[in-house]
Amino acid sequence: MTSDAHLNKLGEFLKARRAELSPRTVGLPDTGGPRRVPGLRREEVALLAAISTDHYTRLEQGRIQPTAPVLAALAQILHLGNDQRDHLFELVGRQTARPRRQAAQRVQPQLRRLLDDLVGTPGVVMGRRMDILAWNPLAAALLTDFATVPEKRRNHVRILFTDPSMRTLYADWRTVARACVSHLRMLAARYPDDPRLTSLVGELSVRDKDFGQWWGSHHVPSRTIGAKRFHHPVAGELTLDCSTLTCGTDPDQELVVWTAEPGTPSYDGLRTLASGAARRLGGSAAGRVA
């Protein structure tokens, strides 16, 4: 059983390490304004760790015993080296559980073939954290040029909340964004020890008030085929059905496509976008891979 003395030492260690870091070090926006204390604020560490500020405060005060997933998240957020990480776990009498390095996800060949064949249908392949693993030219024309987004930041939820054009592209951005937050929460429950997922949640919680509020609401909608409305700068008003196909050989990969009823203005709008995408490619093969 962990003694009060060890919990107090844990709190002192967390405070000392927090004081050594700047917002920029952990990927947070630095407003440049004065800070009452050096380093990160408690609220910032709590948001990055996807826990409440009260919970983190009690950790620093030595009042509660942390769980292994919380310790792993704090080690990631506070940029602890291996020795520091071992010390963090030893302070609470836990065995160090160093995260296994996950291989970078690559799009499954069968999804790649399907995506290449979807010349007239926008499609993307999403990975385990809603990362964009692959897309076709029409998806880039409909949503955004994914090739211009650095691979490590090529995530559907991050783009939705950090790219201002998304808020005008989607006619009902709030509904779409909230559904994505809910799905991300389901993924976080499935993979509680994924440091990159924890980091993504923390980053967006700090950067966007809506994300933080929706993350805390625990709203879980059903994921079904649904219509999405777009205000597209080239194709105009589009109403597209969004469908998801889960890969049989890797359930962490999904093919997402947007389609329209033939003969409708939305169908004609997609044809316009497809023609433009084909001209830009100069007739080269469809599809891109992250």
Side-chain angles (χ1 to χ4, degrees), residues 36-238:
R36 292 188 295 112
V37 294
L40 297 175
R41 299 186 179 99
R42 283 176 173 172
E43 310 87 76
E44 292 170 333
V45 177
L47 281 171
L48 290 170
I51 59 178
S52 69
T53 301
D54 178 67
H55 187 94
Y56 179 75
T57 298
R58 286 187 287 162
L59 285 175
E60 282 201 354
Q61 293 173 343
R63 295 165 53 197
I64 58 173
Q65 170 91 359
T67 63
V70 168
L71 285 176
L74 290 173
Q76 174 84 7
I77 292 157
L78 297 176
H79 290 212
L80 300 186
N82 287 338
D83 290 342
Q84 291 174 313
R85 195 176 192 279
D86 290 344
H87 178 64
L88 180 72
F89 276 77
E90 288 168 359
L91 284 173
V92 294
R94 291 186 178 276
Q95 184 177 359
T96 302
R98 291 182 181 169
R100 291 177 297 176
R101 180 172 295 181
Q102 290 181 314
Q105 268 190 304
R106 299 299 175 192
V107 61
Q108 290 289 306
Q110 59 269 48
L111 292 186
R112 174 74 272 168
R113 291 192 296 270
L114 275 173
L115 196 58
D116 287 343
D117 286 340
L118 296 176
V119 179
T121 300
V124 301
V125 177
M126 292 190 193
R128 65 173 66 95
R129 307 173 195 88
M130 301 180 76
D131 294 327
I132 304 295
L133 303 182
W135 63 95
N136 63 12
L138 192 48
L142 174 66
L143 301 173
T144 190
D145 186 358
F146 296 107
T148 65
V149 181
E151 183 176 348
K152 289 184 178 180
R153 303 189 64 79
R154 202 178 288 150
N155 175 276
H156 177 57
V157 185
R158 180 183 279 114
I159 292 172
L160 195 61
F161 278 90
T162 62
D163 184 344
S165 68
M166 294 294 105
R167 297 175 188 257
T168 54
L169 175 65
Y170 284 95
D172 192 355
W173 177 86
R174 292 180 66 84
T175 298
V176 173
R178 184 167 189 180
C180 283
V181 172
S182 297
H183 183 57
L184 197 66
R185 174 169 283 285
M186 292 169 62
L187 293 176
R190 189 184 306 168
Y191 308 112
D193 299 324
D194 187 331
R196 285 187 58 192
L197 187 54
T198 299
S199 178
L200 174 66
V201 171
E203 174 197 343
L204 295 179
S205 295
V206 172
R207 295 184 63 167
D208 192 280
K209 291 182 179 179
D210 284 332
F211 183 95
Q213 178 183 349
W214 295 336
W215 181 262
S217 71
H218 296 266
H219 175 63
V220 181
S222 58
R223 298 191 73 213
T224 58
I225 296 174
K228 300 290 186 295
R229 294 185 299 117
F230 298 88
H231 297 311
H232 197 275
V234 175
E237 303 298 310
L238 300 173

